[in-house]
Amino acid sequence: MKKLLFLLFISFVAKAQSVQGTLINSETKEPIAYATVKINDLKKSILSKTNGTFSLDEELKENSLIEIEAWGFEKKQITLSDLKKNKILELTESVEMLPELIIPPANAKISYKNYGRTNEGSGMMVAEAQTYRKEDYDKGTEFGIIVSNKGLSELQSFHIHLKENQAKKLILRLQFYDVKNGKPNNRINHEEILLSITNKDAGWLVLDLTEKNIFIDSDISKFAFTLKLVDAEFDSDYASLLFNISASLSNQIIGRDSEFEEWTKIPMSIPMYVKAKVYK
């Protein structure tokens, strides 16, 4: 009986062990932060930390496929067996990340357009539009809105109004997509854009995009912009971003919990928009 209990204990410990890896730039050997690590067998994704490390705690097969995606780098596929043999993974810088060169017509009429909701709200309706749990913040939770494009648009700035932020610190990645079948599809921006906020930040937060060369082509009828959580510091087990919300049939909130989750839509709006220079 003692031998059996000992064997069961050994088995339990073996299953509880995690497999760790570190992502580095193949040229500079510097760590790669906030890369997406996809575990296809489990339909789960996590993000690497600022030092490039990630940890897989689930029980996986030796041939389980792991996909790694990072901004500015070639995608990489390995198996769990590969990771156990070499836990330092080098990613190669991509040569295909340059944005498409778009030159606005010289004689185009220029106007300025705000895409999204520009008013902060009365404060009569406040909601925890996005809540993050300390134990699984690295899943890459993402939320945003879909808007209608009004022509060739050069994005100038991103704006979001916070009623309150309960986390000690949040770092979110701003992403732009074209839209297919009513959902975000292919990513448009080719450069990582990060927004860092603390629990002291409230009111309107603004990111300058004028040097990012982000164009929404005129043949794109709708596009989405989202914020994806990539890093966080917590004072408690969970924290929320609070917004002044309102019911809406346009500019509705979209979100997903990870790369493998389906996008969902909520018939509410939050104060969030991008300012664009529109060429016609």
Side-chain angles (χ1 to χ4, degrees):
M1 178 61 72
K2 289 184 178 181
K3 183 177 181 181
L4 177 59
L5 290 175
F6 177 75
L7 290 175
L8 289 174
F9 176 74
I10 293 295
S11 176
F12 174 79
V13 170
K15 289 183 179 180
Q17 290 179 342
S18 63
V19 180
Q20 295 185 335
T22 302
L23 304 176
I24 63 172
N25 186 315
S26 62
E27 292 293 328
T28 66
K29 309 304 179 185
E30 295 178 346
I32 300 174
Y34 313 141
T36 301
V37 181
K38 297 181 180 180
I39 306 98
N40 292 334
D41 288 356
L42 300 176
K43 300 297 181 184
K44 178 180 179 180
S45 63
I46 58 174
L47 293 161
S48 63
K49 301 184 184 302
T50 53
N51 61 359
T53 62
F54 64 92
S55 179
L56 305 178
D57 296 320
E58 290 79 7
E59 184 180 7
L60 297 172
K61 299 177 182 178
E62 291 295 309
N63 63 349
S64 291
L65 186 64
I66 300 168
E67 297 185 41
I68 301 169
E69 298 179 3
W71 283 80
F73 293 89
E74 299 286 350
K75 293 181 181 180
K76 191 180 188 71
Q77 291 187 341
I78 60 172
T79 63
L80 181 65
S81 178
D82 296 330
L83 180 60
K84 288 180 176 180
K85 293 176 184 177
N86 184 9
K87 296 182 179 180
I88 305 295
L89 305 177
E90 297 188 353
L91 301 187
T92 304
E93 291 186 10
S94 173
V95 296
E96 300 179 356
M97 286 298 292
L98 293 177
E100 179 184 357
L101 180 61
I102 297 178
I103 302 176
N107 60 348
K109 293 182 178 180
I110 298 176
S111 61
Y112 289 87
K113 169 71 177 177
N114 292 326
Y115 294 113
R117 178 181 144 191
T118 59
N119 64 302
E120 64 186 62
S122 64
M124 298 298 291
M125 294 178 63
V126 179
E128 299 174 0
Q130 189 59 59
T131 299
Y132 303 109
R133 291 169 58 87
K134 184 176 182 179
E135 63 187 41
D136 59 3
Y137 78 89
D138 62 349
K139 294 193 306 180
T141 302
E142 192 171 359
F143 74 96
I145 60 175
I146 295 175
V147 297
S148 296
N149 187 31
K150 300 301 182 181
L152 177 59
S153 299
E154 182 181 3
L155 305 187
Q156 303 291 294
S157 55
F158 167 78
H159 306 250
I160 187 169
H161 185 274
L162 297 181
K163 179 69 174 179
E164 183 182 342
N165 168 33
Q166 297 174 344
K168 184 177 181 180
K169 184 177 182 179
L170 297 176
I171 299 178
L172 302 112
R173 178 188 291 151
L174 177 61
Q175 302 189 148
F176 296 89
Y177 300 87
D178 62 15
V179 173
K180 184 178 181 181
N181 298 325
K183 298 178 181 179
N185 186 38
N186 294 316
R187 198 166 55 204
I188 295 174
N189 54 307
H190 294 266
E191 180 181 343
E192 187 171 55
I193 307 169
L194 298 177
L195 172 65
S196 179
I197 61 177
T198 71
N199 54 15
K200 295 181 181 179
D201 292 329
W204 284 105
L205 306 181
V206 182
L207 278 178
D208 183 12
L209 304 177
T210 54
E211 302 297 324
K212 302 300 183 182
N213 193 36
I214 304 173
F215 283 86
I216 310 299
D217 209 338
S218 57
D219 61 358
I220 297 176
S221 61
K222 291 180 180 293
F223 69 97
F225 49 96
T226 67
L227 289 173
K228 179 175 182 176
L229 183 67
V230 295
D231 202 358
E233 295 179 23
F234 294 87
D235 288 321
S236 58
D237 291 336
Y238 69 93
S240 299
L241 290 177
L242 276 66
F243 303 94
N244 294 330
I245 66 167
S246 62
S248 176
L249 296 178
S250 62
N251 302 331
Q252 295 180 357
I253 302 171
I254 54 172
R256 62 179 179 178
D257 287 335
S258 77
E259 294 280 339
F260 287 100
E261 296 289 335
E262 287 292 328
W263 290 96
T264 58
K265 185 179 289 186
I266 304 171
M268 307 294 289
S269 73
I270 58 175
M272 177 179 180
Y273 70 97
V274 291
K275 180 176 290 186
K277 184 187 293 186
V278 181
Y279 301 87
K280 289 186 178 180

